[in-house]
Amino acid sequence: MATIAEGASSTYISWLQTQAARGRRARDALEAWLEAERDQLPLWLPVALGGGTAVWFVLPDPAQWVAAMCALGAVALAAIAVGRHGRAGRSVAIGAAMAALGIALAWSRAESVAAPVLARPTIVTMTARVEGVEPLPARELVRLRLAPLAVESDTDRDAARPPPALPPRIRVNLAQSDMPADLGIGATIRLQARLMPPNAATVPGAYDFRRVAWFDRLGATGKGIAPVTVLTPGSGSNGLRAALAAHIEARLPGSEGGVAAALAAGDEGAISEVDSDAMRRSGLAHLLSVSGLHITAVVAGTIWAMTRLLALWPWLALRTRIPVIAAGFGALAAIGYTLLTGGQVPTARSCIAALLVLAALAMGREAITLRLVATGAFVVLLLWPEALMGPSFQLSFAAVATIVALHEQPRVKAWFMKRDEAWWRKATREVASLLLTGVMVEAALAPIALYHFHKSGLYGAFANIVAIPLTTFVIMPAEALALAFDAVGLGAPFWWVTGKALNLLLWVAHSAAGAPGSLAMLPAMPGGAYGLMIAGGLWVVLWRTRWRLAGIGPFAVGAFWALATPAPDLLVSGDGQHLAVRTPGGGVAMLRDRAGDYARDTMAENVGVDGGALLLSEQPFASCSRDACLATVASGGHTFRILATRSVYQLPIEQLVAACRSADIVVSDRRLPRTCTPKWLKLDALALRRTGGVAIALSSGQVVTVRSPGDRHPWIVSRSAAANPRGDPARGPAPGNNAADRRRDWPGRAGP
């Protein structure tokens, strides 16, 4: 027995030694890989910081935020304890600490911008101070940012009820024809307005204005009602930016002037909806947002001009480094242009990157590198962590990182290196470089565009080959010269050139947008699929050794997940007024005949449909009256009866109860009686108040809601407390992603 025990012990010790040797080899291999990638490790600092920020937005409540920070702190301490002498341990510790910092920054930022939110929709007559004026000529509107001073009445409720308390900052749209001539920034005005709290996402996957408004400190939005009385005039001008935009639009009417104003002042209000949509569909919308391209043009133009002017002074030219001085003027131009265009986050982000490039040039370092991109992202996330969740941040940094990473590859460098060759070879090489860059950028941006907008232009690479050089080398210089020569009344020839070039730009946009198959549409994809694609893309871009190819795996899994996710058969808006049903032909039909363009476009895009929505009342599978619709929808071999109210009039209680009992799903924008008991889901005002907008896949019984269970983010808590102060329970589906196998009441029956 002793011999057997000794043999077993020896075998176990031998096995432990073998495992320890394998562990040492794996550790050595990991250390060798990280040593080979040591120059790339700093690039992951903003990724870790952004990952922590994303975790804060995804996790629902403070207890989980604290738990996540504690877990990350524990990981950092464990990594230091176990591998403090190795690069892997230090990297893990720093990454975990950065992620914990990202959670803390996002949380503190959300609390620091906290402001009251309007409790309920209301109509008020108020006195307010004007803090901002944004003309929108294409829509014949003027957008006012107001600070209410006093509320005089509340006309939508009982007169005995005291007037509502208004948030300190609100935004009101006013018809252009109702705008008083002397209304400017700083004015005190009296007006009546119809106000409502900032809207949450209409349906899952749609734009969440409520979150954006929270970080912008907006507590209400609405529409002003004429007349508007100016009690105290404001400044004669609405600022240099508005004056510049107005001057440009006066010289170039129509969308051409709107695009020119967007390029110079960041004001897109004069661009018609048709032209704006063409720019988006063609992949040229990035030209309208003041960002890297515009800052680069301003800085480059300033440096070019200052270098030549300073060179005319021999004493200075012989004693100083003129390029460095010119770079300083370029930095001042970048800062001034950023302030002129409103100091928005995309512009500030581009300004930071430009300043870093100029600093690198002044020190004699290589300027355009991935470290520069990472530094810019890190600074932006430190200052505005909420920017991470917006498409602007994601699109711009993805594009720049892709371009820099592509041209840092040795093989690509060799292909497109400048050399002494015939002009036609040089031109071919430049065109090929632009085409390759455009294709790679479009491939990198497609998942982001599909996630946020549910569509992506397929010809953007080809359109940008013409649009970017045209904008950089013709439109912006001509516009700058036109503005400069307007000072002496000689700008007309340059405005003519600018107008013709802008006409060509819009023609390119419409041609690319109208080409067959110009747009790829995709229904709202799961957040997990999007996260896998982003993680895989970052892995491929930021590493340099062959192990970067491992990122293709998660990217492919995420892409397959997104493509395999079926489009919802039914969409219900959070207020219950809008319902969209997928038709057998792949279109989408709306419940209300007079639904607005925004509701129609939102519903169609989230189902993955390019084109206008149809009317449910005109579909053969639906029977509609003025007050309600009953639709019979077949999906996945099953048949469902959907009842929805669509007017303000009450249905006879007996008919309503009978109709509810025969329906699988009932949808209404008002509270339905308890006796209304459908076979599966009851989505009335109380239920939708708890869930927000709802997307339903009938074939599987999957229900996706805008609001997650127990979500305690400040923009949700503030609105929920105001809208439902008594905490009334709402009957309906539990919020979240509820699959059919977790819903025993799903009526997955076949046949009619």
Side-chain angles (χ1 to χ4, degrees), residues 592-633:
R592 296 179 183 261
D593 297 347
R594 296 183 179 181
D597 292 339
Y598 177 77
R600 290 174 176 271
D601 293 343
T602 299
M603 296 291 189
E605 290 172 1
N606 280 268
V607 176
V609 173
D610 179 25
L614 307 173
L615 298 180
L616 186 61
S617 58
E618 297 177 354
Q619 304 308 306
F621 59 85
S623 175
C624 295
S625 67
R626 290 185 302 176
D627 301 320
C629 276
L630 179 64
T632 303
V633 180

Side-chain angles (χ1 to χ4, degrees), residues 185-269:
I185 294 176
T188 302
I189 62 174
R190 182 178 181 272
L191 80 163
Q192 190 179 55
R194 184 182 297 110
L195 300 176
M196 61 186 302
N199 287 327
T202 305
V203 291
Y207 177 65
D208 189 357
F209 177 67
R210 177 172 55 182
R211 186 186 68 203
V212 175
W214 178 267
F215 286 100
D216 197 27
R217 296 184 172 92
L218 280 178
T221 61
K223 180 179 179 181
I225 303 172
V228 178
T229 304
V230 179
L231 304 178
T232 304
S235 59
S237 169
N238 292 322
L240 180 59
R241 178 192 182 195
L244 178 61
H247 177 82
I248 294 172
E249 290 160 11
R251 296 296 186 273
L252 292 174
S255 289
E256 290 83 0
V259 175
L263 294 174
D267 188 340
E268 303 178 26

Side-chain angles (χ1 to χ4, degrees), residues 282-284 459-469 505 508-509 512:
S282 61
L284 302 181
Y459 302 142
F462 302 97
N464 277 287
I465 289 178
V466 177
I468 290 178
L505 177 66
V508 170

Side-chain angles (χ1 to χ4, degrees), residues 33-44 87 365 369-372 374 408 542-545:
W33 172 57
L34 291 176
E35 177 63 25
E37 296 276 16
R38 64 183 182 277
D39 292 337
Q40 306 301 112
L41 292 177
L43 304 179
W44 289 92
R87 195 178 296 274
R365 303 285 297 273
T369 65
L370 280 176
R371 288 200 175 193
L372 167 71
E408 281 187 353
L542 298 186
W543 294 128
R544 283 292 170 264
T545 63

Side-chain angles (χ1 to χ4, degrees), residues 685-704:
L686 280 179
L688 292 171
R689 183 183 300 169
R690 186 164 64 97
T691 65
V694 179
I696 304 173
L698 296 175
S699 59
S700 63
Q702 184 183 36
V703 179
V704 182

Side-chain angles (χ1 to χ4, degrees), residues 351-363 365-369 372:
C351 180
I352 291 170
L355 296 179
L356 292 172
V357 169
L358 294 174
L361 290 174
M363 293 186 295
R365 303 285 297 273
E366 186 178 357
I368 309 299
T369 65
L372 167 71

